[in-house]
Amino acid sequence: MVTNVVKYGLRKARLFFLPKLPVPALKDTLDMYMRCMSHLVTEEQFKKTENIVKQFGAPGGVGELLQNKLVERRENKVYEYWLNDMYLNNRLALPVNSSPAMVFPQQNFRAPIDSLRHICMCMCVCVCVCRRALPMDYARGQLAGTPLCMEQYYRLFTSYRLPGPERDTLVAQESTVMPEPEHIIVACKNQFFVLDVVINFRRLNERDLLTQLEKIVKMAESEEEQLAPIGLLTSDGRTEWAESRSVLMRESTNRDSLDMIERCLCLVCLDDSSGPDMTDTTRAMLMLHGGGLAKNGGNRWYDKPMQFVVGSDGCCGVVCEHSPFEGIVLVIGSPSKLVRAASVSELPAPRRLRWKCTPEIHKLLASAADKLQRSEFTINLDMNVYKFCDYGKELIKKQKMSPDAYIQVALQLAYYRCHGRPVPTYESASTRRFQQGRVDNIRSATPEALAFVKAMTDGKLTTKKMEKLRGAITAQTKYTILAITGMAIDNHLLGLREIAHELKTEKPEIFKDEVYLISNQFILSTSQVPTTVEMFCCYGPVVPNGYGACYNPQSDHIIFCVSSFRESPQTCSAKFVKVLVQGLLDMRDLCNRLYTADRNLLSKLKKKKKKKKKGQFLVSQRM
């Protein structure tokens, strides 16, 4: 109890050391909003929006009233607005649509025991995070060295997304009185088992964990005790899953099993082999949806924030329920020191979770299985993982450019070459420099990016291409700094909209306007998740006719993961990747041409200077 209070106190001290998220000036946000949308809509749409925005921002108008209320309530409301809008109100199924996956390097397990050893290491990291043993994070890249909020780490293993009929609830175990979770749920062959990580007040060491995992594998192979794959229900739409959960809760046996899952530290999914085709693209899709019912689609519980997946064929990664944290916090290095606990002398057998399945539950399971098999998860998702090996971030840095900004401009070029127009683009920007900071949006489709991609696409040889590239990168970098310092527009506009809803006033015209609706249709949804190892993050598009594009820039190469939906006649991941690669090569060649031209010019200037000095020397000799 005392230990818990001390930990909670330290955590709060760390949290309040950071500044609170600012609320930008209303005029700044409205001006930036108009600038962001000026080139993405028709002239007629823009003129109409200009008048609406001017009226909204007028002194003494609706905007000023909402701004003042937002400043008053920002202490506890802005984060709530964002969380509901981004995640909890969404009724789509979590796999592909919401939950990203981190795909680890392919493992070569020589024996079944190797895969269990691998998961033991993951569980030791999990325990370390849960015990709040991580040091303070500091920002890298732009504005490096700033301390970062650690709250997202501590939600990794203490949160649960509870389905609701209209809105989900993010349940967080933050009590200083209640004991911390002391068990993990292991999924194996669509069955769920309780693995206690603390027994008789002692934490299990790696050897004990390995022993318990071996027991679970043997228990799961028993065909006599096979139960229905209840985990399939969590892959359904959120409203459907909420209804199914209420049916499950009618039986006390099911209530007990649900309680054990909802309070666990995390899930460990021991997957069966999924076949010989282990390309990066195949592994990405297996992480996101398990490969459907025929493979490992039922060996999941999508409401838990962390699901460590270890396949017997070496396909490994983490599936994340996104609402408690951002993907970047998953890039956790192994703790430098893991306390070696003594072995527990008597290990009780792990417990199989039991389910009482009525005919109604079997019908719900059949429906969920059918949707999983034929929906966007297994058929519709068009995934393409590509390792671009011609150069990486080091070459970009030599050009005195930000690698992230450079890649974002390349994505703009790729989309423009594929579709002939710019579109609203989302790039996640961390706001962890502030208390409870999560993300805001870097709007990468800038007017400067459009000027560059047009210059690269019109076929004309122009010396201004390099100037336009630098202009696009500068604009992208400036917006990035605005976003990470809490001065971007998306969270601010959302807060104003939700304050109006809370006050029960008529929805302001700015939020009913067609341009505002277009501005939130992110046809390009992008994210940088940099790591020092060969792993990558993947997720699905956020709109039916869009792309998801995640990338991991390494020193000499870049890993891209591009997704779209096959149903859309407008998108094709393979084509997008092909055009993206060509654009990256064209941008390199442009930089090289300028570099060569600069060197030639420098050489000529040196020769001219040398010749001039020689002439001056001869004149002095004659004198």
Side-chain angles (χ1 to χ4, degrees):
M1 170 69 179
V2 174
T3 306
N4 277 342
V5 171
V6 170
K7 286 178 183 176
Y8 190 71
L10 288 172
R11 178 179 158 208
K12 287 295 177 186
R14 279 182 172 182
L15 182 62
F16 291 120
F17 170 71
L18 298 171
K20 293 168 184 172
L21 198 66
V23 176
L26 180 62
K27 185 179 185 307
D28 291 347
T29 291
L30 296 180
D31 288 348
M32 181 59 73
Y33 170 57
M34 295 308 295
R35 174 175 165 74
C36 288
M37 297 307 298
S38 61
H39 55 295
L40 300 180
V41 295
T42 66
E43 189 177 342
E44 184 183 349
Q45 287 172 323
F46 185 73
K47 282 183 178 178
K48 181 186 173 188
T49 301
E50 216 170 17
N51 292 329
I52 292 170
V53 168
K54 187 176 179 181
Q55 187 178 355
F56 181 78
V62 176
E64 192 175 283
L65 169 68
L66 297 178
Q67 174 78 356
N68 293 336
K69 291 292 182 184
L70 183 63
V71 171
E72 285 175 19
R73 301 186 186 189
R74 75 185 177 108
E75 294 288 321
N76 55 5
K77 283 290 183 180
V78 176
Y79 171 69
E80 183 184 318
Y81 296 150
W82 174 89
L83 181 65
N84 290 337
D85 185 72
M86 184 71 87
Y87 297 111
L88 303 183
N89 290 340
N90 195 336
R91 300 290 82 201
L92 295 174
L94 295 185
V96 177
N97 298 306
S98 178
S99 295
M102 188 71 77
V103 184
F104 296 161
Q106 177 70 21
Q107 302 296 309
N108 181 22
F109 297 139
R110 296 181 181 179
I113 193 73
D114 292 341
S115 63
L116 301 185
R117 286 197 182 102
H118 188 82
I119 208 65
C120 284
M121 289 187 288
C122 293
M123 287 194 284
C124 286
V125 174
C126 153
V127 171
C128 180
V129 175
C130 197
R131 292 173 66 231
R132 294 172 168 75
L134 292 177
M136 175 71 81
D137 263 0
Y138 292 89
R140 289 171 287 181
Q142 298 291 345
L143 307 182
T146 311
L148 301 177
C149 180
M150 300 294 287
E151 284 299 287
Q152 290 184 50
Y153 286 115
Y154 303 130
R155 285 196 290 262
L156 291 176
F157 304 106
T158 60
S159 300
Y160 184 81
R161 181 163 171 172
L162 194 66
E166 295 179 358
R167 174 190 290 170
D168 290 357
T169 303
L170 183 60
V171 180
Q173 299 172 31
E174 293 187 337
S175 171
T176 59
V177 179
M178 293 294 290
E180 293 174 351
E182 295 182 343
H183 68 278
I184 284 169
I185 296 296
V186 179
C188 186
K189 297 187 181 299
N190 300 337
Q191 310 292 292
F192 297 96
F193 301 86
V194 179
L195 193 164
D196 293 313
V197 293
V198 176
I199 295 175
N200 297 329
F201 306 103
R202 296 177 72 175
R203 183 162 53 87
L204 269 60
N205 63 18
E206 288 181 50
R207 188 174 64 187
D208 291 336
L209 291 170
L210 184 60
T211 300
Q212 296 295 75
L213 286 171
E214 287 181 295
K215 290 177 184 176
I216 286 171
V217 171
K218 287 181 181 177
M219 291 168 70
E221 288 171 350
S222 170
E223 292 185 5
E224 293 80 16
E225 294 195 68
Q226 288 285 312
L227 300 172
I230 298 293
L232 283 172
L233 296 175
T234 68
S235 72
D236 211 340
R238 300 309 291 170
T239 299
E240 292 85 350
W241 166 218
E243 292 168 356
S244 299
R245 185 179 179 279
S246 67
V247 175
L248 281 172
M249 291 285 285
R250 293 171 191 165
E251 299 289 343
S252 61
T253 300
N254 298 339
R255 288 198 296 272
D256 292 342
S257 293
L258 285 168
D259 180 63
M260 291 305 292
I261 293 176
E262 291 168 8
R263 288 192 300 104
C264 73
L265 280 167
C266 65
L267 245 78
V268 169
C269 306
L270 302 178
D271 278 6
D272 290 333
S273 175
S274 296
D277 181 21
M278 280 293 110
T279 64
D280 286 347
T281 298
T282 302
R283 292 190 300 122
M285 290 196 290
L286 287 171
M287 281 299 117
L288 284 173
H289 54 58
L293 183 60
K295 294 183 179 177
N296 295 292
N299 210 45
R300 302 282 186 274
W301 197 273
Y302 285 102
D303 294 350
K304 285 303 294 184
M306 294 288 283
Q307 295 188 88
F308 292 98
V309 178
V310 176
S312 58
D313 49 13
C315 181
C316 304
V318 182
V319 184
C320 319
E321 197 290 288
H322 211 348
S323 62
F325 61 91
E326 305 313 315
I328 192 65
V329 305
L330 287 181
V331 188
I332 307 170
S334 296
S336 55
K337 289 183 181 179
L338 283 173
V339 178
R340 297 285 178 180
S343 182
V344 176
S345 55
E346 290 185 16
L347 291 171
R351 306 183 301 285
R352 184 193 299 265
L353 291 182
R354 302 288 175 179
W355 306 99
K356 190 168 182 180
C357 291
T358 62
E360 186 179 3
I361 291 171
H362 281 295
K363 188 177 178 181
L364 292 168
L365 279 168
S367 174
D370 182 55
K371 289 178 193 173
L372 181 66
Q373 201 60 31
R374 61 184 170 81
S375 70
E376 61 262 28
F377 308 147
T378 50
I379 297 172
N380 194 18
L381 184 64
D382 180 13
M383 182 73 70
N384 193 305
V385 180
Y386 185 86
K387 186 175 179 180
F388 177 77
C389 295
D390 288 87
Y391 62 92
K393 63 183 178 183
E394 291 307 317
L395 185 140
I396 301 169
K397 286 180 181 178
K398 286 178 182 176
Q399 302 296 328
K400 309 296 183 190
M401 298 174 183
S402 156
D404 181 62
Y406 182 100
I407 294 168
Q408 282 292 324
V409 172
L411 289 167
Q412 291 297 312
L413 177 58
Y415 191 90
Y416 191 88
R417 282 178 167 176
C418 282
H419 301 281
R421 64 189 178 100
V423 289
T425 302
Y426 186 103
E427 183 196 0
S428 56
S430 173
T431 56
R432 286 179 60 211
R433 290 164 175 79
F434 303 97
Q435 290 179 31
Q436 300 285 0
R438 289 292 299 269
V439 294
D440 208 332
N441 177 19
I442 305 168
R443 288 188 169 264
S444 304
T446 62
E448 291 83 358
L450 179 59
F452 168 69
V453 301
K454 280 184 172 178
M456 290 294 285
T457 308
D458 63 14
K460 296 176 185 176
L461 293 172
T462 170
T463 55
K464 295 202 177 277
K465 285 180 181 178
M466 192 63 195
E467 183 184 320
K468 291 182 187 298
L469 172 59
R470 290 199 181 278
I473 287 174
T474 299
Q476 175 73 15
T477 303
K478 283 181 179 177
Y479 203 110
T480 299
I481 292 171
L482 281 177
I484 64 179
T485 55
M487 304 305 287
I489 67 171
D490 284 76
N491 286 356
H492 188 195
L493 289 172
L494 171 66
L496 295 169
R497 189 190 79 194
E498 292 305 301
I499 282 285
H501 179 72
E502 273 195 7
L503 295 175
K504 295 182 170 53
T505 61
E506 184 183 349
K507 193 180 213 179
E509 196 63 32
I510 187 174
F511 301 121
K512 295 189 284 185
D513 181 35
E514 185 182 13
V515 169
Y516 181 73
L517 301 178
I518 292 170
S519 77
N520 284 286
Q521 289 291 303
F522 295 112
I523 292 174
L524 259 181
S525 176
T526 72
S527 182
Q528 175 186 230
V529 182
T531 71
T532 55
V533 294
E534 290 292 300
M535 58 203 245
F536 58 88
C537 185
C538 57
Y539 49 80
V542 298
V543 293
N545 62 331
Y547 292 99
C550 195
Y551 51 94
N552 180 4
Q554 302 276 299
S555 295
D556 59 356
H557 64 276
I558 308 167
I559 305 171
F560 289 97
C561 189
V562 174
S563 63
S564 61
F565 291 127
R566 298 186 194 280
E567 272 181 3
S568 171
Q570 301 168 37
T571 58
C572 173
S573 296
K575 181 183 176 184
F576 188 91
V577 167
K578 183 179 179 181
V579 176
L580 174 62
V581 168
Q582 187 57 55
L584 287 165
L585 296 175
D586 291 346
M587 289 168 70
R588 179 198 61 184
D589 293 345
L590 178 63
C591 294
N592 284 346
R593 279 200 301 272
L594 183 72
Y595 179 70
T596 304
D598 285 348
R599 286 195 65 179
N600 290 340
L601 180 62
L602 187 62
S603 180
K604 284 179 183 178
L605 288 171
K606 281 182 179 177
K607 285 178 182 178
K608 193 174 181 181
K609 194 174 181 182
K610 196 173 181 182
K611 193 175 180 182
K612 188 177 179 182
K613 280 185 178 178
K614 188 176 180 183
Q616 287 173 345
F617 175 74
L618 289 172
V619 169
S620 66
Q621 287 279 43
R622 290 192 190 108
M623 291 175 67

